[in-house]
Amino acid sequence: MTASAALLVPLLIDRSDGTPSDQLLQDDYTAAANEYQVPRSVLMGVSYLQSRWDSHHGAPSVVGGYGPMHLVDAPRPQPPQTPQHPQGQPRAGSAGPPAARPANPPADLQQAARLTGLPAEQLRTDDAANVRGGAALLAATQRQLDKPLSPNPGDWWETVARFPGTADRASADTYANDVFDVIRRGAHRTTDAGQRVTLDANPHVHPRRPVTKGTPRPKEVDCPPDLSCSWLSAPYVQIDDDEYGNHQLADRPKDQRIDYIVIHDTEAPLASMLQTIQDPEEASWHYSIRSRDGHITQHVRIRDAAWHSGSQFVNARSIGIEHEGFLRQPDAWYTETMYRSSARLVKYLARKYGVPLDRQHIFGHDNVPAPTEDTIPDMHDDPGPFWDWRHYFDLLGAPLKATAGPDSDVVMILPDYSTHTPRFTGCTKSGVKCAPHGSSAVRLHTDPAEDAPLIQDPGRHPDGKDSTEDVNDLGSRVSAGQTFAVAERSGDWTAIWYQGHKAWFKNPQAHPTAVGARGRTVTPKEGLREIEVFGRALPEEDAYPEGVDEQPEPSPLPYTLRAGQRYVTQSRVLGSYLEKPSSDDSPSPVVQGEEAYYEIQLGHRLAYVRARDVDVVKAAATAGPAGYAARTPLR
């Protein structure tokens, strides 16, 4: 029985040859490698880049790829014709520039069927057959290149580069680099089908690479040299008498520091989004990343502010990156190639512009603070609970991990993505249970019990409705990498301070969903019973120069921080405001204030508190009678 077939029965059953039920896929790689004389490390390395060894329960990707080898079948499935934003608003456009034609055909399932003599349906649904098909394709390509079926992995460079059918030479080289990096470093994970797969590290592999010339790119593109990047400009034009769109001219980071990189998904096919970005009355963002091959298109210069987050304050300080995909269909769209391309781009940008690699600076559209109370229900939910933040930060070279003991006063949310499968509804139809899937999200309750009510979010549900398990409902959940102050512990349950309340989540020692973390927290100053929370940090009244419209006094969000509560902070900022554009050729002026704020992890979203209202407290590495270290006066 293969790994995929095992999904059809309630329990995994050992094979007749005695192979443990959770190691069947491991043996499938060995058998296929031996049968087709492909180094097993090459076969497993390619499969890891194609799918991270997952079968996705037989569901095809957006390009019709199946199984652990992501073998592409024709005809390819068509993407949804009327994509909907999570709040129900359709994105504009249905067509765009044609996608680049692959320089090499992708791993073809029909060809693999011919090479193996197996029915195409078996390659779609049976993991062992799918792996055999991938091995057969690799061997056939090696022969086509007049190369021997060598046991040395380094002799397979060109064959590996051709396997995914990438659109250009730069992408092909990057793909092969990634495969051989996996081979050198090794990998281990439990797949979505419960299979334990290990590729032992082989640091001595040195592939023989052909010498290739890089492809020239437009001067506007700000992108790592090893990525395939292009330019499609977002228009900066006059829309009305005193309005310009669809972004703002600026002079970042000279006039405004870049603090954040915001991860979005498109909730539409990329062709539609490429049409949207060219409409001056629509939103804008800095980069788009294609699902099937990770190709990057830049639209707005980094020095300029794009309109992508729903918060002018965040837009002024951030870089926005759209990823082709739908949060309800992660297996079809969130490809490993896209993850890796995105992580390369973000790592490059973070280093260049000084953005810290943590979850208060690299965050999703669903973590952007709502600027005002009335905007909270309309804030976006992407990239959603199925975006693998733990894996993403591994790729960034900044792994999310414990930095303190398990009894510390601060915890980092960190479930095991592949085995953590909380219940969600609404992936296919409202109220209908989603298929079980690995998730970065952990759900919160009012008491330490699974049948206790979910935490309520008065901003998300101002009508008084309860939080739900809907895939788009952020009202009662937290996400991998976010850090919170511990409020209480009870057996297998941990409570954190969340939007002004204690929120409980199951955190058993044997299978923790959070780990100990070091960090600083803020708490209301002694003598203050509660303090206000804001969705943006605006300058004080005296900071606005003559000729610049003064912004209204910042209005608080419908949450309060009470005495004794603590919230993690990783950033102190000064209030600022990027004025609306007033001409077609000069940067918008930045109003810089002196009022200081702390950015805090308030709930699923970030928020800001005035520095003069709080004391900073360093969390103790292990909990004890004293709890937190002494308060630190602000300077």
Side-chain angles (χ1 to χ4, degrees):
M1 180 184 294
T2 66
S4 57
L7 291 173
L8 303 178
V9 296
L11 297 173
L12 291 170
I13 302 173
D14 288 1
R15 203 155 48 190
S16 59
D17 61 5
T19 301
S21 58
D22 60 356
Q23 296 180 27
L24 305 182
L25 185 58
Q26 181 86 40
D27 278 10
D28 290 341
Y29 286 113
T30 301
N34 291 337
E35 180 180 1
Y36 290 96
Q37 301 180 60
V38 178
R40 191 181 74 157
S41 62
V42 169
L43 179 62
M44 293 183 71
V46 167
S47 182
Y48 188 88
L49 257 292
Q50 293 291 93
S51 70
R52 294 177 70 204
W53 303 326
D54 281 338
S55 62
H56 299 308
H57 307 301
S61 74
V62 65
V63 296
Y66 289 87
M69 299 302 299
H70 194 251
L71 303 182
V72 177
D73 200 8
R76 297 178 182 178
Q78 295 299 309
Q81 296 302 304
T82 55
Q84 296 290 314
H85 180 267
Q87 272 72 40
Q89 298 299 319
R91 293 271 181 123
S94 59
R101 297 183 64 83
N104 310 298
D108 191 310
L109 187 142
Q110 296 296 330
Q111 182 185 1
R114 290 190 292 272
L115 291 171
T116 60
L118 298 173
E121 179 61 23
Q122 189 173 352
L123 271 72
R124 294 189 200 101
T125 59
D126 184 279
D127 287 0
N130 190 275
V131 169
R132 282 187 65 200
L137 288 172
L138 286 166
T141 302
Q142 187 79 343
R143 293 191 187 96
Q144 183 183 10
L145 293 171
D146 293 325
K147 295 181 179 294
L149 300 180
S150 167
N152 179 5
D155 294 335
W156 291 72
W157 168 269
E158 289 183 76
T159 290
V160 168
R162 290 191 178 206
F163 189 85
T166 48
D168 55 78
R169 187 69 221 185
S171 297
D173 288 349
T174 298
Y175 177 87
N177 277 333
D178 283 342
V179 169
F180 280 93
D181 184 61
V182 170
I183 292 172
R184 283 189 292 269
R185 293 172 180 266
H188 171 80
R189 73 184 299 263
T190 300
T191 73
D192 60 6
Q195 292 294 296
R196 296 168 59 195
V197 185
T198 300
L199 172 60
D200 293 329
N202 188 348
H204 305 296
V205 170
H206 298 290
R208 297 175 176 85
R209 313 175 191 182
V211 178
T212 58
K213 295 182 179 180
T215 304
R217 58 176 53 160
K219 66 180 186 307
E220 297 93 344
V221 170
D222 191 358
C223 200
D226 59 341
L227 286 181
S228 176
C229 302
S230 58
W231 175 262
L232 178 64
S233 181
Y236 182 80
V237 297
Q238 189 167 0
I239 300 172
D240 209 336
D241 290 343
D242 59 350
E243 289 190 41
Y244 292 79
N246 58 9
H247 59 282
Q248 285 180 255
L249 301 184
D251 194 18
R252 308 182 315 171
K254 291 181 180 178
D255 62 358
Q256 174 64 71
R257 190 176 65 189
I258 296 173
D259 291 322
Y260 311 125
I261 298 176
V262 183
I263 304 300
H264 304 251
D265 79 26
T266 58
E267 295 298 309
L270 186 59
S272 171
M273 296 302 289
L274 295 183
Q275 184 179 36
T276 299
I277 194 70
Q278 296 175 82
D279 186 338
E281 298 189 40
E282 282 284 352
S284 61
W285 52 95
H286 291 92
Y287 298 92
S288 297
I289 304 184
R290 191 161 58 203
S291 172
R292 68 175 173 82
D293 60 1
H295 178 81
I296 295 170
T297 304
Q298 186 171 351
H299 310 290
V300 177
R301 299 175 302 174
I302 297 300
R303 64 180 295 177
D304 297 330
W307 297 346
H308 62 94
S309 77
S311 167
Q312 189 269 2
F313 177 80
V314 171
N315 289 345
R317 296 169 174 261
S318 68
I319 298 168
I321 304 176
E322 289 276 3
H323 299 74
E324 184 181 23
F326 293 79
L327 68 86
R328 301 180 187 88
Q329 305 171 41
D331 290 337
W333 298 87
Y334 294 171
T335 64
E336 179 65 10
T337 302
M338 186 170 70
Y339 271 122
R340 287 178 174 258
S341 183
S342 175
R344 267 197 179 85
L345 175 63
V346 169
K347 188 175 183 179
Y348 163 84
L349 294 171
R351 183 186 300 117
K352 183 172 183 178
Y353 296 102
V355 180
L357 293 176
D358 61 54
R359 286 283 276 117
Q360 284 196 13
H361 296 88
I362 311 294
F363 52 76
H365 201 175
D366 51 358
N367 308 130
V368 172
T372 58
E373 178 176 357
D374 62 333
T375 61
I376 295 175
D378 297 323
M379 296 299 286
H380 290 204
D381 308 323
D382 57 290
F386 305 129
W387 182 266
D388 192 344
W389 285 107
R390 190 170 190 167
H391 178 53
Y392 193 62
F393 270 76
D394 283 344
L395 295 175
L396 289 174
L400 304 174
K401 59 184 179 180
T403 55
D407 296 327
S408 62
D409 289 330
V410 168
V411 291
M412 175 186 287
I413 306 301
L414 201 61
D416 180 73
Y417 182 90
S418 60
T419 60
H420 179 65
T421 56
R423 174 187 164 99
F424 286 103
T425 62
C427 291
T428 57
K429 187 178 180 182
S430 178
V432 175
K433 184 180 177 181
C434 300
H437 197 284
S439 176
S440 294
V442 172
R443 194 162 281 118
L444 304 172
H445 298 263
T446 57
D447 290 295
E450 293 189 40
D451 58 355
L454 297 176
I455 282 290
Q456 304 305 306
D457 182 345
R460 184 77 178 184
H461 298 289
D463 51 8
K465 291 183 179 179
D466 292 341
S467 294
T468 70
E469 295 177 334
D470 187 87
V471 71
N472 292 119
D473 191 341
L474 307 176
S476 63
R477 65 183 194 231
V478 287
S479 183
Q482 294 178 335
T483 47
F484 294 88
V486 174
E488 190 178 347
R489 288 184 170 92
S490 177
D492 284 345
W493 290 77
T494 299
I496 55 175
W497 291 117
Y498 182 91
Q499 296 182 346
H501 301 280
K502 285 184 182 180
W504 292 88
F505 63 94
K506 196 169 186 180
N507 187 28
Q509 187 173 358
H511 302 285
T513 50
V515 296
R518 296 180 182 272
R520 295 187 308 161
T521 63
V522 297
T523 189
K525 278 186 175 295
E526 291 187 25
L528 295 179
R529 295 181 60 186
E530 61 182 33
I531 61 173
E532 294 176 322
V533 182
F534 301 92
R536 51 187 173 174
L538 292 177
E540 63 278 9
E541 180 180 343
D542 296 342
Y544 292 88
E546 187 176 350
V548 174
D549 292 336
E550 181 183 326
Q551 293 300 292
E553 180 75 12
S555 58
L557 300 178
Y559 317 104
T560 55
L561 271 60
R562 296 178 177 85
Q565 297 181 7
R566 295 177 172 87
Y567 294 82
V568 172
T569 181
Q570 293 175 312
S571 183
R572 184 177 186 269
V573 301
L574 296 177
S576 65
Y577 172 69
L578 182 65
E579 172 70 317
K580 292 181 179 179
S582 57
S583 70
D584 59 1
D585 59 1
S586 61
S588 302
V590 176
V591 179
Q592 187 67 63
E594 296 182 0
E595 174 86 72
Y597 291 79
Y598 281 99
E599 178 186 70
I600 62 169
Q601 191 68 61
L602 174 71
H604 195 279
R605 297 189 186 277
L606 298 165
Y608 301 89
V609 291
R610 291 189 177 102
R612 56 184 161 90
D613 290 340
V614 299
D615 284 332
V616 178
V617 184
K618 185 178 180 181
T622 56
Y628 288 77
R631 295 168 180 257
T632 303
L634 296 178
R635 296 178 174 84

